Amino acid sequence: MIEIENTWLLLFLPLAVAACNWFFFGKKGNIASLVSTLACLVTLIISIGLLGKTGEESFTWISLGNAFNLSIGFILDDLSTRMMLIVTGIGFLVHVFSLAYMKDDESKARFFTGLSLFMFSMTGIVLANNIAMTFIFWELVGLSSYLLIGHWYKKNTAADAAKKAFITNRVGDFGFLIGILTLWALSGTLDFSMMAIPAETCETLVNITLLCLFCGAVGKSAQFPLHVWLPDAMEGPTPVSALIHAATMVAAGAYMMVRVQTSLTVGAFPELTADVISIVGAITAIIAAFMATQQNDIKRVLAYSTLSQLGYMVMALGLLSGESAMYHLYTHAWFKALLFLGAGAIIFACHHEQDIWKMGGLFKRMKITSFCFLMGTLALIAVPFTSGFFSKEMILEAALHKHPALFWIGVGVATLTTFYMMRVILVVFFGKERSKNAEHAHEVGPTMTLPLIVLAVLSIISGYAFMSDNLVPFNGFSAPEFHFGLPFYASMGALALGIIAAVIFYAGSPEKDKLSNNWVSRALQNRLYIDAFYDKVLIRGVQGIGAAIIDCLDQFLIGGVIVGGIARLVAAIGGLLRKLQSGSILAYTILFGLGMIAVVFFTVFYSCNN
Amino acid sequence: MVTLTQYLILSGILFSIGLVGVIVRRDIIVIFMCLEMMLSAANLSLVAFSRAQGQNGLPNYDGQVMSLFIITIAAAEVAIGLALIVALYRAKRTINTKDLDTLKD
Amino acid sequence: MDLFTSNLVFYVFAAIAIVFSLMVVFMKNPVSSAMAMAISFGAVAGVMFQLGAHFMGIIQILVYSGAVMVLFMFIIMLLNVKAEKSPLRRPMPVITAMVIAGVFFGQLLGIIYSLPGASDECNSCCPFSQVSEAIVDLDITETPTGEEITLTEISLAEPANSIINLPEINPQAAAEQYPEGSKIREELASGEFPDTALVGYAVFTKYNYVLILAGIALLVATIGAVVLCRRHTAK
């Protein structure tokens, strides 16, 4: 019933809805929100219908003679159709959640326009059949993220965070663009289904191309060193964080790398590239996990947790195990969205209070939310038989086989993950209430709890074979057999260690964090001073140099040489010519005589044919 | 034999002397007189040509008629020029060209 | 007059004209300059007489020497012009002027000697030469009474389009151009040379419009002179 041609509807319906909301329903937030949600439901239905289909269609958008054609089109295979399911599924649940969460917001229409624009852009990235189209929609996703993070733009922190996100993304996109151009030069085409790197290309060039493409992923998926924007992006509304910065947009980097790996085949990736990618992923995972242990804002904890899990995915990519990366992306999407929406519900219930040290004892007041949040946490810390468990096992297995050092780093990250998530659970849900807001919290309405329940169910069962074989976005995926081996024992050990440590420090309703007054925790709270370094050294330095150069150019070159020089030149010539107007008749007469001689010479003695 | 060449050379010499006078002298009136000398030299050459282009035993009177009209216009020009000089003298009380420099920048 | 006298007259008057023109330029007193100028004009008029342009010569004396120079004298006296420092005291303008005039005269010489026929003569080298190289054609013919030798003088072949030689004035040959029964025709036919009448004939028939315009120009000049010299009394 759903044909391949409906994919165009899938792609362009959210754009139409965004335009509609912006131009027609700008003031009518209620109608705008309902229109957006319904459109998202339609796209979800189309995605479900497209599962299992394959095909490719495109039309040429820009054509520059025979040299270059930029086409817009879609490619349907397991990778893209199942990814679309994740995007539209989570998108729909977030839309429903936002109906309640943003109920009292004054610019609802603008919010839903931004959400629809984001759905359009993300669909474009997933469905793209050539890498140039990926880049275009890549930038569009960055734009939507900017608009949504800065939704409450009147707050300075939100506006700054939006700017930071966009600019950091741009830095990564610069490398991405160079990678695209080099790839085009090497393989001669931009289409995913036709590109291939010739075998005799020198390895340095291949390394450069793939690492430049990876730069895009570093920017979009917030890997070290471009991770600085993701924690600040929590300034946006929580549904935005859930949709964009947990489940979908940040996964776009991993998705793009897997798409490239699928097109160019894994064998085209040289050792150096793969190692660099996996090391970057590992570094991100571990420093993010450390930084998460000392955060006091519940959304920030979840943001660092996202960073850490993205590090896992990228590490898996570097281990040339695209299937484990996509498996983890798939499970992570569900439980991270659940965690963020749960946090949103908690924040909403506590009247927009976000500090965990002002919450407490919420388990008995918000039973459904707490239970769902707990389910999400179990999946995140990879308790056996949750979905997160299976995907993390697969990654650790791959790491063990290729680089045991990365395996142990992965285990360490798992320990820290357990530790900080248990810290949050113990502080927020158990113990005594620490503020008036917490005392007055009550359960939120069904519009909010229904998405939470759906996501909770999914985060438990989506790891099992009957779900994952059909739903993990990867061509030819099949879940591995579960067996007891080193990865299993190591991750059980990590789980136990993390829970015991968290219980030691945070059980029993502490008033404040006992671990927070030493230099380690202060460094972690200040994000290991990476942000400060970027700000003071890089940004100020570059701006300073730029200002100095421009000043020199302006004053010396333009002011002195060009403008001043021209003025002086004109004055000098004028001074010379002024001497002709001496007023003395003698001079005039002499000039007259000379002119007469010249005239006679030129008319009589000199003809132009001489 | 005096041919046309001689007359033209005489006319050229007179014209050049007039030119020297215009450049060298400092009184406006004497400059004007040398100007008249240049005109007269031109007249001379015209009359010489008129005789040299003669046909059927008579000179070609076109040259002489033109010379007549040049004398007429020269006379008119002298009248106006001297009137101007008188007006200038009334304004400036000098006819030395070094003092007549109000055209200066 | 014969050829010799004609040439002599020319050279004498030419010399007078040049000498007095130089005096005009190089004398300090403007009155002296004006007098020298009047004589120079007279010499030029003499040259014109020698050319056969009697009417133009008379007009030159009448208008230039008689009216224009008198006017100049009048203005010099009116404005009480003082003698200036000798021009020779200021070498720079003199040298410049001589250079310019010299270059100009050189250009004129170039033009003059480019006239057809001019460069074949070296007249300036031997001004009084009357000898024309003659080529004698010796022709011996057989006659019944004996040989008769005929010498025929053939003068140098002139270049076909030489214009520099002044043609002879031959009134009778020109008589046919003029209308029947006119006085000019009678006089020409009888060998006289009524120069004034001939100039007048040309002016009044061929150039009568120009004559009227010249009259208007004179009128304008008169009015202009009066206007320019008005005293502007404060009203």
Side-chain angles (χ1 to χ4, degrees), chain A residues 574 578 581-586 588-590 592-593 596, chain B residues 15 19 22-24 28 31 97 100-105:
Chain A
R578 196 190 305 132
Q581 301 270 349
S582 58
S584 100
I585 295 188
L586 177 63
Y588 291 160
T589 323
I590 291 180
F592 174 72
M596 200 166 63
Chain B
F15 189 91
L19 188 56
V22 165
I23 296 177
V24 162
I28 289 277
I31 290 179
T97 53
L100 298 170
D101 59 358
T102 47
L103 275 179
K104 192 161 68 166
D105 202 350

Side-chain angles (χ1 to χ4, degrees), chain A residues 461-484:
Chain A
I461 68 168
S462 61
Y464 293 115
F466 71 92
M467 293 285 287
S468 62
D469 278 349
N470 295 325
L471 291 180
V472 169
F474 195 76
N475 294 338
F477 181 79
S478 64
E481 281 290 321
F482 172 68
H483 63 277
F484 290 94

Side-chain angles (χ1 to χ4, degrees), chain A residues 278-352:
Chain A
S278 50
I279 289 176
V280 165
I283 293 179
T284 312
I286 192 110
I287 63 172
F290 268 117
M291 289 197 261
T293 55
Q294 281 296 312
Q295 296 298 319
N296 294 328
D297 180 340
I298 190 171
K299 284 178 71 175
R300 293 263 148 75
V301 175
L302 294 175
Y304 282 105
S305 157
T306 309
L307 274 179
S308 184
Q309 300 302 307
L310 286 171
Y312 261 123
M313 288 181 224
V314 170
M315 190 171 82
L317 277 174
L319 298 168
L320 296 182
S321 156
E323 57 268 9
S324 52
M326 290 314 282
Y327 193 16
H328 198 60
L329 189 150
Y330 157 82
T331 56
H332 172 265
W334 306 117
F335 61 68
K336 195 43 74 63
L338 167 62
L339 285 172
F340 266 106
L341 290 182
I346 294 173
I347 292 171
F348 187 79
C350 294
H351 298 288
H352 292 281

Side-chain angles (χ1 to χ4, degrees), chain B residues 61 64-65 68-69, chain C residues 55 197-211:
Chain B
Y61 281 104
Q64 294 192 18
V65 167
L68 176 67
F69 287 123
Chain C
F55 178 66
L198 287 166
V199 172
Y201 185 85
V203 168
F204 282 100
T205 55
K206 208 163 152 192
Y207 296 106
N208 58 352
Y209 292 122
V210 187
L211 184 67

Side-chain angles (χ1 to χ4, degrees), chain A residues 243-564:
Chain A
L243 178 61
I244 299 185
H245 304 127
T248 43
M249 186 179 97
V250 292
Y255 176 80
M256 186 268 293
M257 288 305 292
V258 171
R259 175 60 83 187
V260 169
Q261 271 185 353
T262 317
S263 302
L264 294 177
T265 71
V266 164
F269 276 66
E271 276 295 314
L272 180 64
T273 310
D275 286 346
V276 167
I277 295 179
S278 50
I279 289 176
V280 165
I283 293 179
T284 312
I286 192 110
I287 63 172
F290 268 117
M291 289 197 261
T293 55
Q294 281 296 312
Q295 296 298 319
N296 294 328
D297 180 340
I298 190 171
K299 284 178 71 175
R300 293 263 148 75
V301 175
L302 294 175
Y304 282 105
S305 157
T306 309
L307 274 179
S308 184
Q309 300 302 307
L310 286 171
Y312 261 123
M313 288 181 224
V314 170
M315 190 171 82
L317 277 174
L319 298 168
L320 296 182
S321 156
E323 57 268 9
S324 52
M326 290 314 282
Y327 193 16
H328 198 60
L329 189 150
Y330 157 82
T331 56
H332 172 265
W334 306 117
F335 61 68
K336 195 43 74 63
L338 167 62
L339 285 172
F340 266 106
L341 290 182
I346 294 173
I347 292 171
F348 187 79
C350 294
H351 298 288
H352 292 281
E353 175 61 63
Q354 292 185 274
D355 190 346
I356 59 174
W357 295 103
K358 302 228 171 47
M359 307 175 190
L362 290 180
F363 188 79
K364 46 188 188 289
R365 292 180 195 280
M366 305 168 64
K367 294 232 166 29
I368 304 182
T369 310
S370 316
F371 188 72
C372 294
F373 197 89
L374 200 57
M375 291 296 113
T377 312
L378 292 181
L380 175 55
I381 63 181
V383 163
F385 304 114
T386 56
S387 60
F389 171 70
F390 291 111
S391 56
K392 207 178 258 187
E393 284 300 302
M394 201 172 166
I395 294 182
L396 290 175
E397 191 93 19
L400 185 59
H401 285 292
K402 283 207 126 173
H403 289 284
L406 292 178
F407 168 77
W408 290 109
I409 292 183
V411 170
V413 172
T415 319
L416 286 168
T417 310
T418 318
F419 176 67
Y420 62 71
M421 282 315 290
M422 288 315 294
R423 168 177 180 261
V424 167
I425 299 266
L426 286 172
V427 169
V428 170
F429 291 107
F430 296 107
K432 283 200 334 275
E433 296 83 353
R434 294 187 187 82
S435 71
K436 286 265 185 296
N437 282 335
E439 288 172 18
H440 294 150
H442 60 87
E443 186 57 79
V444 292
T447 332
M448 287 201 199
T449 52
L450 262 158
L452 292 177
I453 296 174
V454 170
L455 285 172
V457 169
L458 277 174
S459 55
I460 300 295
I461 68 168
S462 61
Y464 293 115
F466 71 92
M467 293 285 287
S468 62
D469 278 349
N470 295 325
L471 291 180
V472 169
F474 195 76
N475 294 338
F477 181 79
S478 64
E481 281 290 321
F482 172 68
H483 63 277
F484 290 94
L486 183 58
F488 176 70
Y489 295 123
S491 47
M492 288 303 106
L495 194 63
L497 187 60
I499 294 180
I500 295 172
V503 165
I504 291 179
F505 287 111
Y506 297 108
S509 174
E511 276 299 318
K512 57 182 179 56
D513 198 341
K514 291 193 206 113
L515 287 175
S516 63
N517 262 335
N518 48 46
W519 66 271
V520 175
S521 65
R522 262 198 292 279
L524 291 177
Q525 277 175 347
N526 287 329
R527 309 181 188 176
L528 291 176
Y529 302 113
I530 297 181
D531 278 32
F533 172 72
Y534 281 165
D535 187 34
K536 294 234 164 20
V537 176
L538 285 184
I539 295 179
R540 300 271 166 86
V542 168
Q543 281 180 341
I545 292 177
I549 292 180
I550 289 179
D551 191 43
C552 167
L553 272 180
D554 202 32
Q555 277 194 329
F556 175 65
L557 188 63
I558 295 182
V561 173
I562 296 181
V563 171

Side-chain angles (χ1 to χ4, degrees), chain B residues 7-40:
Chain B
Y7 290 100
L8 294 182
I9 291 177
L10 171 64
S11 158
I13 292 177
L14 288 178
F15 189 91
S16 307
I17 294 176
L19 188 56
V20 169
V22 165
I23 296 177
V24 162
R25 297 295 298 230
R26 265 213 296 214
D27 286 326
I28 289 277
I29 298 187
V30 181
I31 290 179
F32 207 21
M33 284 198 309
C34 298
L35 220 53
E36 290 305 308
M37 193 151 71
M38 290 156 82
L39 262 175
S40 142

Side-chain angles (χ1 to χ4, degrees), chain A residues 75-242:
Chain A
I75 181 169
L76 293 177
D77 55 6
D78 280 347
L79 182 57
S80 57
T81 47
R82 293 174 182 179
M83 187 74 190
M84 270 322 295
L85 183 63
I86 297 179
V87 169
T88 47
I90 296 188
F92 176 63
L93 291 171
V94 164
H95 273 82
V96 169
F97 188 87
S98 312
L99 285 175
Y101 190 84
M102 303 295 285
K103 189 167 53 146
D104 299 323
D105 192 83
E106 57 191 18
S107 359
K108 264 200 317 203
R110 185 160 56 89
F111 182 77
F112 280 96
T113 309
L115 275 186
S116 299
L117 188 65
F118 172 78
M119 294 303 291
F120 165 65
S121 326
M122 193 67 207
T123 315
I125 291 185
V126 171
L127 291 177
N129 81 327
N130 62 56
I131 201 166
M133 179 176 165
T134 308
F135 186 73
I136 296 174
F137 282 95
W138 196 266
E139 299 294 331
L140 273 175
V141 162
L143 173 71
S144 319
S145 168
Y146 170 81
L147 290 172
L148 286 168
I149 296 175
H151 177 68
W152 294 315
Y153 59 85
K154 296 196 174 96
K155 252 186 357 173
N156 274 345
T157 46
D160 286 342
K163 227 173 27 173
K164 188 172 184 177
F166 194 74
I167 293 179
T168 318
N169 249 312
R170 281 306 279 163
V171 173
D173 292 345
F174 176 62
F176 190 29
L177 190 56
I178 294 180
I180 291 180
L181 292 173
T182 328
L183 184 62
W184 182 37
L186 282 181
S187 72
T189 174
L190 292 168
D191 283 343
F192 282 124
S193 46
M194 291 197 288
M195 62 167 64
I197 296 185
E200 60 272 0
T201 322
C202 89
E203 195 169 295
T204 326
L205 204 52
V206 178
N207 276 331
I208 291 177
T209 309
L210 292 171
L211 283 176
C212 284
L213 285 176
F214 179 58
C215 279
V218 166
K220 188 69 73 184
S221 298
Q223 301 298 302
F224 177 83
L226 294 176
H227 64 281
V228 293
W229 64 273
L230 193 51
D232 283 352
M234 297 299 123
E235 294 286 338
T238 313
V240 167
S241 306

